[in-house]
Amino acid sequence: MDNTANQAQIKQLDLPTLILWGAQDDLIPVENAKLFHRDIANSQLKVFDNLGHVPHEEDPVATVKVVKQFLLGEQINE
């Protein structure tokens, strides 16, 4: 499947979605997180300034805190 088809499918998503991203990710730029957030209706984005590609491993306490807020229906601040 090409990227255009993938992008079209992503834009069809409309469900609560939490996007976690490390600003220091050397593999996938944080700009991609912003595109996902733009394209997924009802999504929330949390960028961790000092974390990289695997924020849930690099700082599990901070990421679990955000996941809990999301699951409680709270608004996540980028």
Side-chain angles (χ1 to χ4, degrees):
M1 191 176 289
D2 65 30
N3 283 341
T4 304
N6 288 339
Q7 289 173 348
Q9 286 184 332
I10 288 170
K11 289 180 180 182
Q12 293 176 4
L13 296 173
D14 183 8
L15 65 161
T17 303
L18 176 60
I19 303 164
L20 302 177
W21 215 278
Q24 305 304 314
D25 190 334
D26 291 331
L27 296 174
I28 305 172
V30 71
E31 290 77 19
N32 289 356
K34 295 174 183 176
L35 293 173
F36 281 127
H37 181 46
R38 180 197 69 195
D39 290 345
I40 300 173
N42 202 17
S43 68
Q44 294 189 61
L45 171 62
K46 175 62 179 174
V47 176
F48 296 93
D49 293 331
N50 298 316
L51 301 180
H53 187 66
V54 285
H56 58 285
E57 291 182 12
E58 297 169 37
D59 191 343
V61 173
T63 53
V64 166
K65 180 181 176 182
V66 172
V67 170
K68 284 181 178 180
Q69 290 174 320
F70 176 76
L71 293 174
L72 290 171
E74 298 176 8
Q75 186 65 35
I76 307 300
N77 297 320
E78 186 180 333

